[in-house]
Amino acid sequence: MTQEELKAASCRYHEEPRPGKLVVIPSKPCETQDDLSLAYTPGVAIPCTEIKNQPDNVWKYTGRGNSVAVVSDGTAVLGLGNIGPEAGLPVMEGKAVLFKKFADIDAVPLCLGGVFNEEGKTDPEKLIAAVKPIEPTFGGINLEDIGAPACFKVEPALKKAMGIPVFHDDQHGTAIISLSGILNALKVVGKKIEDCRFVMNGAGAAGIACAEYYVSAGADRAKFTICDSKGVIHAGRTDLNEQKKRFAHETEMRTLADAMKGADVFVGVSVAGAVTPEMVRSMAPGAIVFAMANPTPEIFPDEALAAGAAVAGTGRSDFCNQVNNVLGFPGIFRGALDTRASDINEAMKLAASKALASIVSEEMPEEIYKTLTAAYPREAALGVFEGKCPLKSTFVIPKPFDIRVVPRVAKMVASAAMETGVARVQINDLDAYEKEVAARIAAALK
């Protein structure tokens, strides 16, 4: 499909047969006079009174327990930048579609205006003040496409102020999915995460969040080198924000090319073409390259592999090992909502990464094999999905259409929520719960 054909097809998709990608469908019948009297006046006064008398009844008599607000100000939309809340609305509608299709969660896009300073950038205090009052309506908040450094202040403040999960997917989604791939890639090359030297190109929301998350998973902060648009983040720089300062070391390295010499893992969340084959050749044997800039990566996977990388990943769906956030947030919120968790904490995020990593090492059921073969014929022809343990250099991250993904992530996230004391509902049989989630999603997809 040419660029012009894509443009025409996408505009038609969003415009016809009715504008947008979402509709509201009642979950109860409203066909008779009796139905109407229960749905609205006078019958609706009864659950209202029940909730007033016992606030926890809101989870029993409303859809709050299955609802997520997708909140954005449109300042850091993937591949488009600061385009504003109106222009960001199609993306947030799309996110809501994925919540519903992959996890049967009712998500509502909320693109907020009036939260900017005189320079047109996000005013964190205004955004925080705008989001806090919506807590009584939703079971969780998914922050989306909010630019750095504001996002580093917004999420922690809302997590502290609100009693429901708050999750900035641009930061943690990329971190969770990429870590699952890195953990499996390290198995392929026979290395341990604590021994590896990491190079991160990109020090915005995703880059800093990935680095901090890898450290929480066992990586050594002292072995991280992060680069931004000005080069290596080092102790001699005076232009660093608090997030970057945590990774500023004494070093003679100044450029990305310097940093990549002898590195074990490269992670890119930056700009197209930032990495050359020569840089990859300078890395340590068994190098792992996750170049996730979209739509054009820092280096294409085939180039990285030709230059000596052992495993390559990207953000694109037309190559092996795609880091796709849809592998994370549906199952993470499913598990958080079903345990009525007050937070999505570090243990829950790590549980999600380990859930994704575990799937790749399991023998693939015939039904899923057929589904993935049909969805990814090129990779199937290369034998990507073959083997009693399918884990290999071309398959370190599961596929979004693998129906095991959301139930497994939900199960392990729910388990971590209960273990860390943030769950307000206990699930006694997690294996049965995984099967229930799988059945629920299968029904929603029909």
Side-chain angles (χ1 to χ4, degrees), residues 332-373:
I332 291 168
F333 270 98
R334 182 75 276 156
L337 291 174
D338 290 343
T339 55
R340 206 188 305 162
S342 59
D343 188 19
I344 294 174
N345 58 30
E346 206 70 8
M348 294 162 74
K349 291 186 285 183
L350 285 169
S353 291
K354 291 176 180 178
L356 292 169
S358 70
I359 290 171
V360 176
S361 295
E362 296 175 3
E363 187 172 6
M364 193 173 291
E366 183 65 24
E367 179 185 352
I368 295 172
Y369 179 84
K370 290 179 180 178
T371 298
L372 297 187
T373 297

Side-chain angles (χ1 to χ4, degrees), residues 394-417:
T394 52
F395 190 47
V396 297
I397 304 173
K399 297 294 186 182
F401 294 113
D402 187 330
I403 59 173
R404 295 173 294 177
V405 167
V406 172
R408 180 70 55 81
V409 171
K411 169 188 172 180
M412 293 186 70
V413 166
S415 178

Side-chain angles (χ1 to χ4, degrees), residues 55-80:
D56 266 3
N57 279 332
V58 70
W59 307 100
K60 183 177 181 180
Y61 295 122
T62 76
R64 184 183 176 191
N66 195 52
S67 65
V68 169
V70 180
V71 178
S72 180
D73 60 5
T75 56
V77 178
L78 181 64
L80 299 173

Side-chain angles (χ1 to χ4, degrees), residues 309-324:
V311 181
T314 181
R316 293 171 58 121
S317 60
D318 52 349
F319 289 96
C320 297
N321 299 327
Q322 184 196 16
V323 177
N324 189 329

Side-chain angles (χ1 to χ4, degrees), residues 78-79 173-174 177-178 266-272 289-302 312-327 376 379 397-400:
L78 181 64
T174 301
I177 312 310
S178 60
F266 168 82
V267 177
V269 282
S270 55
V271 294
V289 175
F290 274 32
M292 299 183 291
N294 252 322
T296 306
E298 289 83 359
I299 184 170
F300 279 94
D302 51 352
T314 181
R316 293 171 58 121
S317 60
D318 52 349
F319 289 96
C320 297
N321 299 327
Q322 184 196 16
V323 177
N324 189 329
N325 283 18
V326 78
L327 289 165
Y376 304 94
E379 292 178 43
I397 304 173
K399 297 294 186 182

Side-chain angles (χ1 to χ4, degrees), residues 106-255:
D106 299 314
V108 178
L110 298 177
C111 291
L112 305 178
V115 295
F116 311 108
N117 59 27
E118 294 178 355
E119 298 175 351
K121 296 182 179 179
T122 305
D123 182 324
E125 297 301 332
K126 289 182 179 179
L127 184 52
I128 292 164
V131 177
K132 283 196 295 185
I134 69 174
E135 179 175 354
T137 302
F138 295 98
I141 305 292
N142 182 101
L143 301 174
E144 191 81 12
D145 294 342
I146 298 167
C151 64
F152 295 126
K153 185 173 184 179
V154 171
E155 188 197 42
L158 290 175
K159 285 169 76 75
K160 183 178 180 180
M162 303 178 83
I164 57 176
V166 178
F167 183 81
H168 186 198
D169 192 43
D170 300 287
Q171 293 186 63
H172 310 301
T174 301
I176 289 165
I177 312 310
S178 60
L179 177 65
S180 73
I182 289 169
L183 292 174
N184 276 336
L186 290 173
K187 293 177 184 176
V188 171
V189 301
K191 296 182 182 181
K192 296 180 179 180
I193 192 169
E194 62 267 25
D195 298 329
C196 291
R197 191 164 79 77
F198 283 76
V199 174
M200 174 75 64
N201 198 46
I208 293 293
C210 283
E212 291 287 1
Y213 184 61
Y214 301 162
V215 170
S216 74
D220 186 345
R221 186 183 296 272
K223 294 179 181 178
F224 263 86
T225 304
I226 300 183
C227 299
D228 61 12
S229 60
K230 297 180 181 179
V232 170
I233 292 172
H234 59 86
R237 285 180 52 175
T238 59
D239 60 341
L240 304 177
N241 60 32
E242 290 303 312
Q243 290 75 30
K244 294 180 182 181
K245 285 180 181 177
R246 292 198 290 267
F247 289 94
H249 311 301
E250 294 285 352
T251 178
E252 297 299 318
M253 295 182 290
R254 293 294 182 266
T255 68

